[in-house]
Amino acid sequence: MTTKIFYTLSLAFFLCFNFSSFAQTSGNSYEISGKVMDNELNVPLEYATISVVDVNNPENVNGGITNNKGVFKIEVAPGTYNIVVEFISYETKRFNNRKINADLNLQTIELGVSSDNLDEVIVRAETTQVDIRLDKKIYNIGKDLTTAGGTVSDALNNVPSISVDIEGGISLRGNDNVRILINGKPSAMAGFGNTDVLSQLPAEAIERVEVITSPSARYDAEGTAGIINIILRKKETLGFNGSVTVNGGIPENGSISANLNYRTDKYNLFTTTGYRYSESPGYGYFDTRFFDPRTDIILDSLKYDRNIEDRDYNRINRGFNTNVGMEYYLSDMSSITGAVFYRLGDDRDVTNNMNDYLLGDTELLGTNRREVENEEDESIQFSLNYVKKFDNKGHKLTADFQFENDSETEDAFINEFTTYNNTENATIDIPSESTLTKEDKKEYLIQADYVLPIGEESQFEAGYRGNFENEITDYKLFQENNPGEFILNKNQTNVFDYSENVQALYTQYGTKFGNFSFLLGLRLENTNLQGKIDSELTEAELQEEFSFDIDTDFNNDYLGLFPTLNLIYELGEDENLTLGYNRRINRPRGWYINPFPSRSSRNNIFQGNPNLNPAFSNAFDLGYLKKWDKFTLTSSIYYQRETDAFQRVREEVFISGPSGEQIEVIRSIPFNLATNDRMGGELGFLYNPADWLRLNGSVNVFRFKLDGEFNGNDYSQDNSSWFGRFSSKVTLPLKIDWQTNLFYRGPSDEIQGTQDGILNVDLAFSKEILNDKATLSLNVRDIFNGRKRTSFTSTEFFNQDSEFQWRQGQSVNVSLIYRFNQQKREQRRSNGNQDFDEGFEG
């Protein structure tokens, strides 16, 4: 209230001294009127400023402010004027050279938040804030201290409904079949579906995260769990401004990134550029007990029934990425934006695997298997976006074109030697091996979306999307035949050419009457999956090698209809019920289809299955939101039934060695195994009991029931689990902020075993320095060293206890963010609900 009074008095003072000439105006006058609204929340902006400048005499300035309904009315004399609509922390709208010889109604003027930096616009909670839309929940990340100096993956792990496992895998409500979008589109920034890249992009680049558990028809139908849409910040403040972030910590890591922006009335130049170096020590422990003794040909026919592996990982990641673009305003109603994203990665991983082979309680042999892996990858993406607004009421056309190219080369050298030998064979020489993998991927995206408001409360949308991608994987395995002599294993070497082409048409209609709103849509998608295997093996030899029938040259088409329905009923101004239904598809990706094995160790392989078919799901979601003055409650219950669900099965098989000898290994392979019924509920809260204390938390409880069998084995399963998170932020004396984040994922049953719970606790402090132009942060992640996966696996061939930690121990990071030509501005933003989310969303 104090801010409003000060703002009003300041404007009145300004009007008294600068608009005096208009107070004396006599004769004919006309009225300029309109309404100013927040373009995202669809709520009126009270106290927005409207300035009316005489083109022929710029010293003559008139104006006014909006009332509590966002409405303004200004009397002016006949003439030609420039009209400027402004609101603090929002973008400015201009209507130039308007000739006034009659009353002028500018209708509804929508303003968007100017997103120069998350520190510039301080939302009321300063922590994660939620807005509910017909088809999504939007989480404004806020000033999350624990992600300072962190990555996009770190930030996602603090968003309700989302969890990031210890290897960087992202799941939504416990389901890892989630679609990741950047600014509404698949992007090289998200690694073409591979989430590894998200662990390199800085968290400071995120403006908000959209959790879309009931996607409308405008979205790609991929992802049975739903969609996570990461919206990156786009700077729109006039002039040159930006920020520089420097990070460093233990284990050894460092990064520097810059967010720069230069905007004029005609164009906007922007870039985010950074370099990151990190070391990630990890470890793994695997104790495998076989029910029947095994014979290892590579170890001179050693017979054993137990294998204990101790793995130490040392990963070095180096990455440079930059995003450079320009938005050019063709007119007040149209713009074109072009951008280039480039990423270069150079990684080196060293793994030492200590093995003990036992028969009964007798230790027979110890070995040390050392693998050195180098990986270089390069990604480039070109994007072009055109927006044409036909009026200020939301009638518009959007067109997008995007091209992406990703290339990756990975080479690994593996050698193994004995550390002790209690067998009768005095000398055991273990052959070395090396692998070379080259991947090239190209992807094209063409999209057009048309939005037509119908009256004040309805909207029609239609669009087309074509996504065309091709990936070629060239894999070679070399194995030592004689000391120093390597030969190509033709049984495992191959080239796999895989294409996925998806074309879609969609339409949807939404309307509101009274307190009830709905959005009904239908999407028609055609999926074409093509694959060709180039190998020196004949098709008959391939069938024998992989122990099941495969098609070495396939071309499969899937045509499907995907209806969606989303409803909102407003019980009150800050209370509503939502109901959503959608049908989704899970398409098998390239590495899930490639039948040639990849080797995580000499005894463990992963093999794709070219016979995989897409899985389909139908999902329902019922949600409830209630907001009080200092407390916000969100909740939902959901149910999903997925048919032909993918599941990975582990089994013992034989593969061919370099000379054709048969080697027994443990194979992990996916199949369309089961029907999967998922159900669950989630509850979240945001609570700000005092200016110095902010709390938020959420809990998600889910159950899934699998029904299926493979090779005569019943893999049906009924499993329940849960995860929860809690965050508190306290403002200490000397304006020091202290934040604590806690995450716990409960134990779960897997189709072939169990997994223990995982606990992660982060701690962070920050302080504004240099007259609030810079922020210094300190955070400690995983302070109790609980972020590890402990599991038990049981098959018909063996039992295994394992423990794995992707990043071992605690990490400490210091971050400094310096802002220039930016001001920290405090804005109380309303929390209303928007019925229809306009704009390109993918």
Side-chain angles (χ1 to χ4, degrees):
M1 181 62 70
T2 303
T3 302
K4 290 183 177 180
I5 294 173
F6 176 80
Y7 192 83
T8 306
L9 291 176
S10 299
L11 180 62
F13 184 86
F14 180 79
L15 292 174
C16 288
F17 281 86
N18 293 280
F19 301 165
S20 58
S21 61
F22 281 84
Q24 306 299 323
T25 300
S26 59
N28 295 334
S29 63
Y30 300 104
E31 182 181 87
I32 300 175
S33 60
K35 185 177 183 179
V36 182
M37 301 286 288
D38 182 306
N39 72 340
E40 286 189 356
L41 302 180
N42 198 31
V43 295
L45 295 178
E46 186 180 1
Y47 300 105
T49 306
I50 293 84
S51 303
V52 183
V53 183
D54 191 332
V55 171
N56 298 318
N57 186 6
E59 294 181 1
N60 289 335
V61 182
N62 194 0
I65 60 174
T66 56
N67 61 18
N68 60 355
K69 296 182 179 180
V71 174
F72 65 88
K73 296 179 180 179
I74 301 170
E75 295 287 333
V76 299
T80 302
Y81 298 90
N82 291 333
I83 305 169
V84 182
V85 182
E86 298 174 290
F87 192 65
I88 188 170
S89 297
Y90 281 68
E91 62 184 1
T92 299
K93 284 286 180 72
R94 290 172 171 80
F95 304 87
N96 294 330
N97 298 312
R98 294 300 177 99
K99 188 174 182 179
I100 308 297
N101 53 19
D103 290 344
L104 174 63
N105 186 351
L106 295 174
Q107 304 296 330
T108 300
I109 303 168
E110 296 183 336
L111 301 186
V113 174
S114 178
S115 308
D116 303 314
N117 190 288
L118 288 181
D119 285 321
E120 294 177 39
V121 180
I122 306 174
V123 296
R124 185 164 46 192
E126 278 198 332
T127 54
T128 303
Q129 178 181 342
V130 61
D131 291 316
I132 304 296
R133 307 291 170 84
L134 268 169
D135 58 351
K136 72 185 75 172
K137 294 178 182 177
I138 298 177
Y139 294 95
N140 296 298
I141 298 299
K143 295 177 63 180
D144 193 334
L145 307 184
T146 59
T147 64
T151 66
V152 169
S153 292
D154 296 323
L156 288 179
N157 205 35
N158 290 340
V159 175
S161 303
I162 300 175
S163 61
V164 182
D165 66 23
I166 59 175
E167 295 175 284
I170 298 172
S171 62
L172 182 59
R173 291 173 167 175
N175 188 347
D176 59 7
N177 181 227
V178 59
R179 181 71 158 164
I180 307 293
L181 302 177
I182 302 290
N183 295 333
K185 293 173 285 186
S187 174
M189 295 185 191
F192 303 97
N194 185 333
T195 59
D196 290 346
V197 183
L198 299 181
S199 64
Q200 299 179 26
L201 295 175
E204 290 82 5
I206 297 180
E207 177 180 318
R208 64 182 187 273
V209 176
E210 297 178 347
V211 177
I212 310 171
T213 53
S214 183
S216 66
R218 73 163 66 93
Y219 292 98
D220 180 9
E222 170 73 20
T224 56
I227 295 171
I228 298 173
N229 188 19
I230 302 169
I231 305 298
L232 302 181
R233 282 188 277 146
K234 181 181 176 183
K235 302 175 182 298
E236 294 187 352
T237 296
L238 287 174
F240 179 67
N241 57 81
S243 63
V244 177
T245 303
V246 180
N247 303 296
I250 302 173
E252 286 75 6
N253 75 88
S255 67
I256 181 169
S257 62
N259 295 278
L260 306 176
N261 181 78
Y262 179 73
R263 179 178 176 178
T264 69
D265 290 335
K266 203 62 180 175
Y267 61 86
N268 182 34
L269 294 170
F270 55 89
T271 180
T272 299
T273 301
Y275 175 82
R276 187 176 191 89
Y277 172 91
S278 66
E279 297 185 14
S280 300
Y283 86 97
Y285 173 80
F286 306 87
D287 184 355
T288 307
R289 299 170 298 281
F290 299 94
F291 300 140
D292 296 314
R294 305 175 82 240
T295 300
D296 194 318
I297 297 177
I298 299 297
L299 299 178
D300 286 346
S301 299
L302 177 72
K303 182 174 289 188
Y304 64 96
D305 60 9
R306 186 179 181 185
N307 173 223
I308 300 175
E309 298 181 50
D310 268 306
R311 299 182 192 173
D312 287 318
Y313 304 92
N314 186 19
R315 305 180 186 89
I316 298 177
N317 301 313
R318 295 172 287 252
F320 168 81
N321 63 81
T322 183
N323 185 42
V324 181
M326 182 178 76
E327 182 176 10
Y328 184 76
Y329 309 104
L330 301 171
S331 68
D332 289 341
M333 307 297 287
S334 63
S335 67
I336 186 168
T337 302
V340 178
F341 172 78
Y342 177 77
R343 180 175 65 87
L344 185 64
D346 182 11
D347 302 338
R348 178 181 172 87
D349 298 343
V350 178
T351 303
N352 283 299
N353 188 354
M354 304 296 294
N355 283 272
D356 293 292
Y357 297 91
L358 297 87
L359 184 62
D361 295 327
T362 304
E363 292 184 340
L364 300 177
L365 185 71
T367 68
N368 182 8
R369 182 177 187 271
R370 178 179 171 87
E371 178 178 358
V372 179
E373 179 181 280
N374 297 292
E375 180 181 322
E376 295 181 356
D377 58 274
E378 183 178 33
S379 298
I380 188 167
Q381 170 188 296
F382 301 94
S383 61
L384 197 63
N385 168 258
Y386 172 75
V387 177
K388 169 62 178 177
K389 296 182 179 180
F390 300 97
D391 55 32
N392 289 315
K393 297 181 179 180
H395 184 197
K396 66 179 178 179
L397 172 69
T398 305
D400 284 86
F401 171 78
Q402 186 171 286
F403 169 72
E404 304 171 354
N405 184 80
D406 185 57
S407 61
E408 179 180 296
T409 300
E410 179 184 294
D411 64 83
F413 183 79
I414 304 164
N415 66 313
E416 189 170 2
F417 55 89
T418 59
T419 56
Y420 66 86
N421 185 358
N422 296 326
T423 67
E424 296 178 357
N425 189 346
T427 303
I428 296 180
D429 294 321
I430 306 173
S432 300
E433 61 184 38
S434 71
T435 62
L436 177 64
T437 306
K438 293 184 178 180
E439 292 183 2
D440 288 293
K441 186 169 185 178
K442 292 180 174 60
E443 184 169 354
Y444 296 87
L445 173 70
I446 303 172
Q447 179 154 340
D449 297 271
Y450 177 72
V451 180
L452 176 65
I454 303 174
E456 293 292 329
E457 304 290 356
S458 302
Q459 182 170 291
F460 168 80
E461 293 184 48
Y464 163 82
R465 173 172 172 164
N467 204 85
F468 312 94
E469 60 179 272
N470 172 258
E471 181 178 7
I472 299 176
T473 304
D474 186 348
Y475 175 80
K476 291 182 174 64
L477 171 63
F478 299 90
Q479 294 178 303
E480 192 175 25
N481 189 37
N482 295 311
E485 177 187 353
F486 286 81
I487 64 173
L488 182 70
N489 185 332
K490 297 179 180 180
N491 296 304
Q492 308 299 328
T493 295
N494 71 100
V495 177
F496 184 53
D497 189 337
Y498 177 72
S499 295
E500 178 182 298
N501 302 317
V502 181
Q503 298 191 73
L505 293 169
Y506 81 90
T507 183
Q508 63 183 17
Y509 174 77
T511 190
K512 178 179 181 180
F513 42 90
N515 294 328
F516 181 78
S517 305
F518 77 84
L519 185 61
L520 176 64
L522 183 65
R523 189 177 185 93
L524 174 67
E525 279 197 358
N526 181 74
T527 300
N528 174 250
L529 304 179
Q530 301 177 31
K532 185 176 182 180
I533 301 170
D534 185 4
S535 168
E536 295 194 21
L537 299 180
T538 66
E539 189 156 337
E541 288 173 330
L542 284 171
Q543 314 297 348
E544 182 179 354
E545 179 71 25
F546 301 129
S547 70
F548 59 92
D549 292 338
I550 64 172
D551 190 349
T552 59
D553 190 354
F554 59 87
N555 189 343
N556 301 324
D557 279 285
Y558 307 91
L559 183 67
L561 283 173
F562 300 89
T564 63
L565 176 63
N566 290 286
L567 310 171
I568 285 185
Y569 182 72
E570 297 179 5
L571 301 171
E573 183 178 354
D574 294 317
E575 184 179 16
N576 63 53
L577 284 171
T578 60
L579 175 65
Y581 161 77
N582 65 87
R583 186 170 187 257
R584 310 287 294 166
I585 184 174
N586 180 12
R587 306 182 187 96
R589 311 303 294 179
W591 73 289
Y592 252 48
I593 292 180
N594 189 348
F596 284 87
S598 61
R599 305 158 73 85
S600 59
S601 73
R602 184 166 52 79
N603 300 318
N604 295 274
I605 64 171
F606 173 84
Q607 183 178 347
N609 180 0
N611 300 325
L612 279 182
N613 293 316
F616 294 89
S617 71
N618 292 277
F620 299 86
D621 189 292
L622 178 64
Y624 172 74
L625 168 73
K626 173 67 175 176
K627 295 182 179 180
W628 290 270
D629 183 35
K630 297 182 178 181
F631 189 87
T632 298
L633 175 70
T634 61
S635 61
S636 66
I637 55 175
Y638 51 89
Y639 170 78
Q640 178 191 78
R641 183 175 180 83
E642 183 179 5
T643 56
D644 284 335
F646 308 155
Q647 293 293 324
R648 291 168 62 168
V649 175
R650 300 184 71 186
E651 57 183 1
E652 283 193 334
V653 297
F654 288 89
I655 64 172
S656 298
S659 302
E661 70 274 17
Q662 294 297 294
I663 302 173
E664 192 173 12
V665 298
I666 298 173
R667 175 177 70 178
S668 177
I669 186 170
F671 284 91
N672 292 108
L673 182 67
T675 297
N676 189 356
D677 290 294
R678 287 180 174 268
M679 60 206 74
E682 58 183 344
L683 184 69
F685 73 90
L686 306 170
Y687 182 42
N688 305 302
D691 291 339
W692 55 271
L693 178 62
R694 289 166 289 277
L695 308 171
N696 73 71
S698 65
V699 62
N700 195 306
V701 180
F702 54 90
R703 174 183 176 222
F704 60 87
K705 184 178 180 181
L706 296 174
D707 183 13
E709 65 174 38
F710 172 67
N711 280 348
N713 295 317
D714 185 6
Y715 289 100
S716 299
Q717 178 193 3
D718 196 341
N719 178 31
S720 297
S721 189
W722 67 281
F723 64 86
R725 53 171 47 88
F726 175 79
S727 176
S728 68
K729 185 177 179 183
V730 179
T731 300
L732 302 172
L734 302 178
K735 296 183 179 180
I736 297 174
D737 288 331
W738 165 28
Q739 183 172 327
T740 304
N741 281 7
L742 183 149
F743 174 85
Y744 180 76
R745 182 183 180 95
S748 63
D749 293 326
E750 309 299 324
I751 64 170
Q752 290 179 300
T754 60
Q755 183 170 305
D756 292 349
I758 296 174
L759 173 68
N760 184 66
V761 180
D762 299 334
L763 193 66
F765 298 88
S766 81
K767 178 174 175 54
E768 302 297 322
I769 58 176
L770 302 179
N771 296 322
D772 291 345
K773 291 183 179 181
T775 303
L776 183 64
S777 302
L778 169 69
N779 63 62
V780 183
R781 299 193 181 113
D782 196 13
I783 60 176
F784 295 121
N785 195 26
R787 194 169 171 80
K788 61 183 69 174
R789 182 180 65 220
T790 304
S791 57
F792 171 74
T793 302
S794 179
T795 74
E796 61 179 316
F797 306 104
F798 63 87
N799 287 339
Q800 182 186 82
D801 291 298
S802 65
E803 186 170 279
F804 178 79
Q805 192 167 25
W806 183 258
R807 185 174 60 191
Q808 186 175 0
Q810 302 83 0
S811 65
V812 180
N813 286 279
V814 177
S815 171
L816 176 66
I817 302 176
Y818 180 78
R819 299 171 292 273
F820 55 92
N821 295 339
Q822 297 181 358
Q823 295 178 348
K824 290 189 65 181
R825 296 172 295 188
E826 193 157 334
Q827 173 59 45
R828 296 175 67 87
R829 207 173 166 210
S830 301
N831 291 328
N833 298 316
Q834 179 171 327
D835 300 318
F836 306 109
D837 188 31
E838 301 174 2
F840 174 70
E841 297 287 354

